[in-house]
Amino acid sequence: MNKLLNFLDLTKGEDNKETVLENVKSNISFRGANLWILSCAIVVASIGLNVNSTAVIIGAMLISPLMGPIIGAGFALGIYDFELLKKSLKNLVIATFVSLAVSTIYFYLSPFKETQSELLARTSPNIYDILIAFFGGLVGVIAITRKEKGNPIPGVAIATALMPPLCTAGYGLAIGNYRFFGGAIYLYTINCVFICVATFLIVKFLKYPRLVQFEKAREKQITYVITTLTVVLLMPSIYFGYTLFEERKFEQKVNSFIQNEFTDKGYTIIYQKTRYKSNSSSVEIALLSKRFTPQESAEINQRLKIYDLKGTQFKIRQDTTNLKQDILNQIKNDKANVDEKDAVIATLRNEIENNKYDNTSLLNEARILFPVLTDISISNHPFNVSQEKKDIVPVVIYSSIKQLNREDTQKLEQWIKIRIKKNTVEVFWKSTSN
């Protein structure tokens, strides 16, 4: 047992406590170069989130100096150095506001404002983010207290992901989506607090000397405040984690249902949409060719119980008409309409071609019966096409000094009908001056 405890002893390889504290204090301040490095890292991380590149995001976290004031706050709480705590929190606030400002400006100016998966991943924190932050913080503070520090800090920065939540919060501000902003800021706060808590616990475990000695009651009060803050942040994330767990279970059940009832039966799914809510989940699908009757759809809905999906609304999107038959009918109707139009056009063309009248011959013949005529002409006027009979009504215009009386006009009309073999004509008079 002693060998095991000796094997796990954290005090082995521990650096001088005063040296460790000096290193922690030196990395807290955000002035000059640190501020410029932070701003550049924020821009790089924002670009990575904007183009959905994990490699670029990791690169930004490798150069981020954000860990300093968070570790400093944890050490300050562990040794009751309230001046150090005040300085750490002040610099953390400065770094946070600078990061938010830079990321907001970037996303506001960026022409690409689509919400990528890397951005969405930072808007719904859960219990797993707390575990990552806490154990990442443990790695960070243990590494800082070693003589041979190695290079674990970049790995901690990657694991706890301090920069992407800040950039996502800036993205939320830039596009006016305050739900994104709130979720990302909550994730960032979780990371900060639980890295700080992990640091506090390690400092206590390694028994770093206290700067100020308090009475037991005062120490309990400080511990109570830290515990309360931890629980306040822990409870929502536990709820989000439970919701995530239930959503994953629901998706697995839906995938099993779709696989067994459709895919394995040879049906091709061209659309699938799943919505998970604790009280009203729904699944919608559309198939390539298979069509279900209402009875078949009802049977499929009944089988949801087998997959523990009772209460889930399931809908198969399908056209209520026979698309293939509709297309064939439409083609047939279009062909019939075209044939009918062609027949009408051919009839009208024939009518026009057959009604080319010799007005000169007609005038000579008409003057035998009506000597007062000086001119006569017949034409087929477009607006005289009968829509019902699809026939052309000839228009007769005669010229004379004096208009024919009613009886002579009727005689002229009857003669023209017989002469041009038409049942209907319209006769008009045009005056001729002496």
Side-chain angles (χ1 to χ4, degrees):
M1 188 65 181
N2 289 333
K3 287 184 178 180
L4 179 61
L5 293 175
N6 187 52
F7 183 74
L8 298 174
D9 190 4
L10 268 180
T11 59
K12 285 190 174 183
E14 184 184 358
D15 200 356
N16 181 271
K17 291 181 171 57
E18 292 183 1
T19 304
V20 172
L21 280 172
E22 287 300 320
N23 288 334
V24 169
K25 291 177 181 179
S26 64
N27 290 319
I28 289 174
S29 179
F30 272 95
R31 297 288 187 277
N34 267 356
L35 206 57
W36 280 100
I37 291 172
L38 176 65
S39 299
C40 293
I42 285 290
V43 171
V44 174
S46 298
I47 293 172
L49 291 167
N50 204 185
V51 300
N52 213 40
S53 173
T54 305
V56 175
I57 297 170
I58 292 173
M61 287 187 281
L62 289 172
I63 59 176
S64 168
L66 266 175
M67 292 287 290
I70 302 173
I71 296 293
F75 264 88
L77 286 173
I79 63 174
Y80 301 130
D81 186 344
F82 295 106
E83 283 299 321
L84 178 60
L85 178 62
K86 181 179 177 181
K87 184 179 179 182
S88 298
L89 293 178
K90 178 182 176 181
N91 280 279
L92 182 60
V93 169
I94 291 172
T96 301
F97 275 101
V98 168
S99 301
L100 279 175
V102 173
S103 60
T104 301
I105 292 171
Y106 169 81
F107 282 109
Y108 182 79
L109 297 176
S110 174
F112 307 106
K113 292 183 170 60
E114 294 84 1
T115 305
Q116 304 288 356
S117 59
E118 288 286 353
L119 284 165
L120 280 174
R122 273 90 185 180
T123 58
S124 301
N126 53 64
I127 187 64
Y128 301 107
D129 295 297
I130 286 181
L131 295 175
I132 292 170
F134 180 75
F135 288 102
L138 286 179
V139 173
V141 69
I142 290 171
I144 287 173
T145 60
R146 303 298 96 186
K147 290 180 181 178
E148 297 180 1
K149 293 178 172 50
N151 193 27
I153 300 301
V156 177
I158 294 168
T160 53
L162 293 168
M163 307 241 345
L166 274 177
C167 296
T168 304
Y171 171 76
L173 288 176
I175 66 171
N177 190 324
Y178 298 105
R179 185 178 68 84
F180 279 11
F181 172 77
I185 283 295
Y186 178 52
L187 176 56
Y188 174 70
T189 304
I190 285 175
N191 286 335
C192 291
V193 169
F194 281 89
I195 292 172
C196 186
V197 168
T199 305
F200 171 80
L201 294 176
I202 293 297
V203 169
K204 284 291 187 182
F205 181 80
L206 294 177
K207 298 179 181 178
Y208 272 69
R210 301 177 184 180
L211 186 66
V212 179
Q213 296 293 331
F214 290 110
E215 297 178 355
K216 291 291 183 182
R218 182 62 172 168
E219 288 185 16
K220 287 182 179 180
Q221 188 177 7
I222 294 172
T223 305
Y224 176 77
V225 170
I226 295 173
T227 304
T228 302
L229 178 61
T230 302
V231 171
V232 167
L233 289 171
L234 190 63
M235 295 308 294
S237 61
I238 290 175
Y239 169 75
F240 291 135
Y242 174 76
T243 303
L244 178 64
F245 174 70
E246 289 296 316
E247 185 175 356
R248 294 291 183 269
K249 279 176 58 180
F250 174 75
E251 289 175 355
Q252 288 176 0
K253 294 173 185 176
V254 169
N255 291 336
S256 178
F257 169 72
I258 298 294
Q259 182 71 31
N260 295 335
E261 299 295 334
F262 297 95
T263 307
D264 288 349
K265 294 180 180 180
Y267 305 143
T268 303
I269 297 175
I270 58 174
Y271 168 83
Q272 178 177 336
K273 187 172 184 179
T274 303
R275 293 188 184 94
Y276 172 77
K277 290 184 179 179
S278 57
N279 54 356
S280 60
S281 300
S282 64
V283 179
E284 293 182 10
I285 66 169
L287 302 175
L288 179 62
S289 58
K290 173 65 178 176
R291 298 170 58 80
F292 291 91
T293 64
Q295 293 78 10
E296 289 174 328
S297 296
E299 290 176 4
I300 291 173
N301 272 279
Q302 288 296 321
R303 288 200 289 273
L304 286 170
K305 299 177 183 178
I306 301 174
Y307 301 89
D308 194 20
L309 292 171
K310 185 179 180 181
T312 300
Q313 295 181 352
F314 179 72
K315 183 177 181 181
I316 302 176
R317 290 190 174 274
Q318 56 187 6
D319 194 357
T320 57
T321 61
N322 191 327
L323 184 59
K324 180 179 179 181
Q325 189 60 46
D326 286 347
I327 292 173
L328 292 175
N329 291 338
Q330 184 64 40
I331 292 172
K332 184 178 179 181
N333 292 336
D334 289 345
K335 187 177 184 300
N337 292 335
V338 170
D339 292 343
E340 185 178 1
K341 290 176 183 176
D342 288 344
V344 172
I345 292 171
T347 301
L348 295 175
R349 182 180 292 114
N350 292 332
E351 291 283 353
I352 293 171
E353 290 177 352
N354 295 330
N355 287 300
K356 294 179 180 178
Y357 309 110
D358 186 350
N359 292 329
T360 303
S361 299
L362 286 172
L363 177 60
N364 293 333
E365 295 176 16
R367 289 183 71 179
I368 296 173
L369 299 175
F370 307 98
V372 295
L373 298 181
T374 58
D375 192 16
I376 190 170
S377 62
I378 303 177
S379 64
N380 298 312
H381 207 280
F383 60 74
N384 286 309
V385 177
S386 173
Q387 295 298 327
E388 294 180 358
K389 297 181 179 180
K390 295 182 175 59
D391 196 9
I392 296 178
V393 178
V395 176
V396 179
I397 301 175
Y398 72 91
S399 300
S400 62
I401 295 174
K402 185 180 179 181
Q403 185 177 3
L404 297 175
N405 58 35
R406 183 176 180 182
E407 183 180 352
D408 288 341
T409 301
Q410 289 177 349
K411 286 181 181 180
L412 175 62
E413 183 178 334
Q414 290 298 323
W415 177 78
I416 292 174
K417 288 180 181 178
I418 295 170
R419 173 65 177 77
I420 65 176
K421 300 178 181 179
K422 288 292 182 180
N423 296 326
T424 305
V425 296
E426 293 184 12
V427 179
F428 298 92
W429 170 66
K430 180 179 178 183
S431 176
T432 302
S433 57
N434 290 325

